[in-house]
C-alpha cells in the first residue's frame, strides 16, 4: 500500500533511500569521499524532516503487508504548474515486482491532484538503464549538467501530464477515507439490494463496515482507484478499473443533489469509462446510467453466484 509518510516514518525512509541508492553508488564507484552529496550518503533524518516542515513537498512510502516501508518517493511542488519527483526507490530485494511502477503511477496521480501538468526528474546520466526505464514510460530527456562536486553528469528529464478535469469537490481517496467509504458502501448495498433478496445473513451479518474497510486496507489497488466527493463531508465515491465503473455510490442522505452525476462525469472525462455492471432489478440505477449515455446490453452475469447483473455500455 502506498500512503503519505508521517514524521515517525522518517528514520525508516532514510534507511530505504540510502540502501536503495547504494546499489547505484557501488555500480559507478561513488564513495562518500568522491560524492559526499550523492543521495546514498547525503540523505539524513534531519534533511527529510526539514523538507517535510519547510518545503511544499509530499512524501510517500510503499508499505508491505507487515507495515514495513520498502519503497519511497517525494514530490516537490514547483512554479508554473510543475513538480519535481525525487528519490523514487525500491529496496534491492523487492525490485522487479513492479513496485517502482506503482510508485511512479501514484506520483502521477498526486501531481494531477495538485493540478501539476509537468513532472521533472534528475538522474545519473551514466545510468543508461534508468534513463531507458523513464523513457519507456514517457519521460523526455532535455539536457545535462556537470557539477564539480559530483563524479558523474546530471541528466534531466520531463514528462507532460494531462491534469484531471472537472474535479470540483472530487479528489483521490486516502486511507483516512476508508471507514466512510465502507459506510456508504454498506448502506447502499442494504438499501438497493436487500429489498430484492431479503438475505438477512448476508446483508446484516457478513456485510458490515468493518469487513469492507478491512478489504480496502488489504487490497491497495481498490483504494488507489477510488475517488470521493468531498465538500467537507465525503458524500459519495466512485471506483474505477481501467474503463469500468466498478462502484458508484452516494450516501442516501445526499442523493438527488447531482453528486452521482458529477462522479460519473469525472470518470468519463478523465478515464473514458465505457462500461459497468448494474443490478438487473434496479430500475432507478439503470435509468440514471441511461440518462448519461449508457445502454443496457444482453450480456449478464451472476455476482457471488446469486446477484444478477446486466452489462451497460456507452
Amino acid at each position: 500500500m502506498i500512503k503519505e509518510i508521517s514524521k515517525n516514518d522518517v528514520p525508516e525512509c532514510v534507511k530505504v533511500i540510502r540502501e536503495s541508492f547504494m546499489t547505484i553508488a557501488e555500480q559507478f564507484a561513488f564513495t562518500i569521499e568522491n560524492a559526499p552529496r550523492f543521495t546514498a550518503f547525503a540523505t539524513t533524518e534531519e534533511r527529510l524532516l526539514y523538507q517535510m516542515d519547510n518545503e511544499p513537498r509530499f512524501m510517500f512510502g510503499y508499505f508491505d503487508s507487515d507495515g514495513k516501508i520498502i519503497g519511497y518517493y517525494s514530490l516537490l511542488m514547483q512554479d508554473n504548474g510543475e513538480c519535481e519527483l525525487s528519490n523514487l526507490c525500491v529496496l534491492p530485494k523487492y525490485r522487479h515486482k513492479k513496485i517502482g511502477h506503482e510508485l511512479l503511477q501514484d506520483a502521477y496521480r498526486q501531481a494531477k491532484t495538485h493540478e501539476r501538468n509537468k513532472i521533472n526528474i534528475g538522474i545519473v546520466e551514466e545510468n543508461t538503464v534508468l534513463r531507458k526505464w523513464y523513457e519507456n514510460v514517457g519521460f523526455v530527456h532535455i539536457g545535462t549538467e556537470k557539477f564539480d562536486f559530483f563524479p558523474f553528469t546530471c541528466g534531466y528529464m520531463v514528462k507532460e501530464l494531462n491534469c484531471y478535469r472537472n474535479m470540483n469537490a472530487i479528489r483521490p481517496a486516502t486511507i483516512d477515507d476508508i471507514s466512510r467509504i465502507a459506510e456508504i458502501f454498506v448502506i447502499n448495498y442494504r438499501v438497493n439490494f436487500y429489498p430484492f433478496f431479503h438475505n438477512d445473513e448476508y446483508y446484516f451479518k457478513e456485510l458490515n463496515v468493518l469487513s469492507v474497510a478491512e478489504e480496502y486496507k488489504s487490497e491497495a489497488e481498490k483504494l488507489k482507484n477510488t475517488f470521493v466527493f468531498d465538500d467537507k463531508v465525503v458524500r459519495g465515491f466512485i471506483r474505477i478499473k481501467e474503463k469500468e465503473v466498478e462502484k458508484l455510490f452516494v450516501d442516501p442522505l445526499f442523493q438527488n443533489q447531482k453528486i452521482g452525476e458529477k462522479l460519473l462525469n469525472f470518470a468519463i472525462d478523465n478515464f473514458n469509462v465505457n462500461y459497468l455492471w448494474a443490478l438487473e432489478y434496479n430500475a432507478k440505477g439503470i435509468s440514471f446510467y441511461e440518462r448519461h449515455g449508457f445502454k443496457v446490453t444482453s450480456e449478464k452475469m451472476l455476482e457471488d453466484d446469486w446477484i444478477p447483473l446486466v452489462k451497460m455500455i456507452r
Side-chain angles (χ1 to χ4, degrees), residues 98-113:
K98 297 190 180 299
I99 294 173
H101 180 75
E102 289 185 45
L103 287 165
L104 187 58
Q105 292 297 318
D106 192 73
Y108 295 162
R109 178 170 167 265
Q110 293 296 334
K112 291 179 180 181
T113 300

Side-chain angles (χ1 to χ4, degrees), residues 201-217:
E201 181 68 25
Y202 177 73
Y203 288 105
F204 295 99
K205 292 184 180 179
E206 293 180 35
L207 181 68
N208 59 74
V209 171
L210 288 177
S211 65
V212 175
E214 187 57 38
E215 184 179 310
Y216 263 86
K217 289 179 181 178

Side-chain angles (χ1 to χ4, degrees), residues 24 48-49 77 81 86 113 153 219 237 259 269 273 306 313:
I24 300 173
L48 261 62
L49 287 170
M77 299 300 112
S86 298
T113 300
T153 303
E219 299 179 37
F237 73 89
I259 294 172
D269 290 344
V273 293
W306 56 283
I313 63 173

Side-chain angles (χ1 to χ4, degrees), residues 136-184:
N136 287 340
V137 293
F139 279 82
V140 176
H141 191 269
I142 59 171
T144 62
E145 191 170 3
K146 192 73 176 72
F147 296 98
D148 292 338
F149 49 80
F150 281 146
F152 57 85
T153 303
C154 294
Y156 299 103
M157 305 183 75
V158 64
K159 181 179 175 67
E160 303 283 346
L161 299 174
N162 294 318
C163 294
Y164 291 140
R165 293 172 291 166
N166 298 329
M167 290 292 283
N168 296 316
I170 299 169
R171 61 169 175 78
T174 71
I175 194 169
D176 293 331
D177 299 314
I178 286 179
S179 61
R180 180 63 177 140
I181 290 169
E183 184 179 37
I184 294 172

Side-chain angles (χ1 to χ4, degrees), residues 1-3 5 16 60-65 67-73 89-90 97-100 102-103 220 224:
M1 175 183 290
I2 299 171
K3 64 179 182 179
I5 68 165
V16 169
F60 296 88
Y62 190 107
F63 294 74
D64 69 6
S65 58
K68 176 184 176 181
I69 300 174
I70 60 176
Y72 171 90
Y73 79 87
C89 60
V90 178
K97 298 180 179 181
K98 297 190 180 299
I99 294 173
E102 289 185 45
L103 287 165
K224 187 164 58 176

Side-chain angles (χ1 to χ4, degrees), residues 96-309:
H96 309 297
K97 298 180 179 181
K98 297 190 180 299
I99 294 173
H101 180 75
E102 289 185 45
L103 287 165
L104 187 58
Q105 292 297 318
D106 192 73
Y108 295 162
R109 178 170 167 265
Q110 293 296 334
K112 291 179 180 181
T113 300
H114 292 90
E115 301 181 339
R116 304 291 139 167
N117 53 35
K118 185 182 292 186
I119 293 185
N120 301 301
I121 59 169
I123 63 169
V124 173
E125 182 68 15
E126 290 79 2
N127 191 345
T128 55
V129 173
L130 182 61
R131 172 175 167 174
K132 185 65 175 177
W133 185 78
Y134 278 115
E135 286 177 333
N136 287 340
V137 293
F139 279 82
V140 176
H141 191 269
I142 59 171
T144 62
E145 191 170 3
K146 192 73 176 72
F147 296 98
D148 292 338
F149 49 80
F150 281 146
F152 57 85
T153 303
C154 294
Y156 299 103
M157 305 183 75
V158 64
K159 181 179 175 67
E160 303 283 346
L161 299 174
N162 294 318
C163 294
Y164 291 140
R165 293 172 291 166
N166 298 329
M167 290 292 283
N168 296 316
I170 299 169
R171 61 169 175 78
T174 71
I175 194 169
D176 293 331
D177 299 314
I178 286 179
S179 61
R180 180 63 177 140
I181 290 169
E183 184 179 37
I184 294 172
F185 183 103
V186 171
I187 291 172
N188 273 275
Y189 259 63
R190 288 174 179 168
V191 169
N192 296 314
F193 287 58
Y194 179 77
F196 298 110
F197 304 107
H198 299 286
N199 187 332
D200 291 1
E201 181 68 25
Y202 177 73
Y203 288 105
F204 295 99
K205 292 184 180 179
E206 293 180 35
L207 181 68
N208 59 74
V209 171
L210 288 177
S211 65
V212 175
E214 187 57 38
E215 184 179 310
Y216 263 86
K217 289 179 181 178
S218 62
E219 299 179 37
E221 198 68 21
K222 288 186 176 180
L223 184 64
K224 187 164 58 176
N225 294 332
T226 299
F227 294 81
V228 296
F229 185 96
D230 178 10
D231 59 353
K232 298 186 178 179
V233 173
V234 173
R235 303 178 192 272
F237 73 89
I238 188 168
R239 194 169 83 211
I240 303 160
K241 184 177 182 181
E242 296 179 350
K243 302 295 183 182
E244 178 187 3
V245 177
E246 278 197 305
K247 303 291 179 186
L248 171 53
F249 292 126
V250 176
D251 190 309
L253 289 172
F254 306 114
Q255 291 179 4
N256 302 312
Q257 298 178 21
K258 297 189 179 297
I259 294 172
E261 177 180 312
K262 291 176 181 177
L263 286 164
L264 183 58
N265 285 338
F266 169 81
I268 292 171
D269 290 344
N270 291 284
F271 297 92
N272 194 29
V273 293
N274 56 21
Y275 77 98
L276 58 93
W277 294 91
L279 177 63
E280 187 174 12
Y281 306 146
N282 189 356
K284 181 180 178 182
I286 289 174
S287 177
F288 166 79
Y289 289 115
E290 286 178 330
R291 292 196 302 273
H292 293 87
F294 287 80
K295 296 179 180 179
V296 175
T297 70
S298 59
E299 191 172 348
K300 299 180 181 181
M301 75 169 182
L302 290 177
E303 182 180 60
D304 298 326
D305 297 324
W306 56 283
I307 302 174
L309 303 177

